[in-house]
Amino acid sequence: PDLCPVADGGEGTAEALGLAHGGGAAGAGGHDPLGRPVQAGFVLVEDGGTAIVEVAAASGLGLVAEAERDAEAASTYGTGEVIASAIDAGAQVVLVAVGGSGTTDGGVGAIEAIAERGGLRGASLVLLCDVRTPFEEAAEVFGPQKGADPAAVERLTARLHAVAETWPRDPRGQTMTGAAGGLSGGLWAALGAKLEPGAPFVLDALGFDLRMREAGAVIVGEGRMDATTLEGKIAGEIAVRARQAGVPCHAACGQNALSPFDQRILDIQRIVEATTLSELESAGEHLAAHL
């Protein structure tokens, strides 16, 4: 079998791209969403000319315990520090995987940190986005999982609207600008970053289409398959490519919440639910029997 670790711009993107391109890991000091010191790594590829930074490394939701979550205080300053460290290391292109954040500051913290460290200094930013949400909807869509109650969501949304008016470009209404609590929109609007759908970018970098066409079937995995699977998530992107290439696609997931219609759109042959290691082993045996 061809094992092909993939990602869609969220957590795991640096590892997937680093494995594909023989990247080397580097470390950077920074701060977590609540301003506490944290060590956050990044990956250098292409002889150090390109760096891969994951927002989750310094500004991830997983760095803040559920009881500590404060959506209004959480900042992307640490991500800006890691980007600046990557530029210090010689990167001329910084790929930023923007999934998994615990922040909704519109990228204000990251912009501040980059400015304090001397700006981009000729480097360019490419943001790998795992959602298509526009900037002004970031708090409404993602704020609750980051600790925001309805009143906080309203305040965060007002704050996003206010800061959007201060930048050279207005991120509101632009697809993918709401990723990582608006970080993608802020870096696009203030620093000219390029927005890219994460899943297609990673799959193309891995030479996935050729590998898929040489396979008899494809098996994808996802924690939960639902309507968002069709909105830029890696499992959905793979399923669509498999359908277009005429390669059967199957899936193993923790929970299947796809409607029958959405499953038909993706043309996934079989979906098996599995939440434990033993269930995953059984799922693999079941799928193998039908390949």
Side-chain angles (χ1 to χ4, degrees):
D2 181 355
L3 301 180
C4 182
V6 295
D8 55 16
E11 293 166 274
T13 299
E15 181 179 5
L17 292 177
L19 286 172
H21 295 281
H31 294 83
D32 76 3
L34 298 182
R36 299 171 296 199
V38 65
Q39 281 296 119
F42 57 92
V43 174
L44 291 170
V45 297
E46 297 178 351
D47 295 325
T50 297
I52 308 163
V53 171
E54 288 191 3
V55 168
S59 306
L61 185 62
L63 297 174
V64 183
E66 189 169 350
E68 300 176 312
R69 290 176 187 172
D70 185 338
E72 293 175 271
S75 170
T76 55
Y77 189 90
T79 291
E81 292 177 295
V82 180
I83 291 172
S85 293
I87 295 171
D88 289 342
Q92 289 300 298
V93 176
V94 182
L95 304 177
V96 184
V98 297
S101 84
T103 59
T104 317
D105 71 345
V108 169
I111 294 166
E112 178 184 353
I114 292 169
E116 290 177 357
R117 295 274 292 271
L120 294 181
R121 291 164 277 164
S124 59
L125 302 179
V126 178
L127 310 181
L128 307 181
C129 305
D130 64 344
V131 298
R132 299 172 183 169
T133 309
F135 186 80
E136 68 276 13
E137 296 179 13
E140 178 184 352
V141 175
F142 305 114
Q145 71 189 47
K146 301 174 184 182
D149 60 23
V153 167
E154 289 189 12
R155 292 191 296 269
L156 287 166
T157 299
R159 193 170 74 181
L160 289 171
H161 279 289
V163 74
E165 296 175 355
T166 69
W167 290 322
R169 295 197 289 183
D170 191 335
R172 291 172 292 187
Q174 299 289 330
T175 185
M176 297 187 287
T177 53
L183 169 70
S184 58
L187 296 180
W188 174 86
L191 298 179
K194 182 179 181 182
L195 302 174
E196 289 276 359
F201 184 98
V202 173
L203 293 177
D204 291 346
L206 297 176
F208 179 83
D209 286 351
L210 177 60
R211 296 164 69 176
M212 174 185 64
R213 286 193 294 269
E214 292 177 343
V218 175
I219 300 175
V220 298
E222 189 170 17
R224 173 185 165 93
M225 301 190 78
D226 55 27
T228 65
T229 302
L230 285 76
E231 299 175 0
K233 296 297 185 180
I234 191 69
E237 178 71 16
I238 289 174
V240 168
R241 292 186 181 210
R243 182 193 67 201
Q244 293 171 342
V247 178
C249 183
H250 306 266
C253 64
Q255 182 180 14
N256 177 22
L258 279 174
S259 70
F261 180 71
D262 287 342
Q263 184 172 340
R264 285 197 299 273
I265 289 176
L266 294 174
D267 197 25
I268 298 177
Q269 308 298 305
R270 290 178 180 80
I271 300 179
V272 181
E273 292 184 332
T275 58
T276 66
L277 181 58
S278 62
E279 288 177 354
L280 280 170
E281 291 174 347
S282 297
E285 293 172 357
H286 174 79
L287 292 175
H290 291 87
L291 295 183

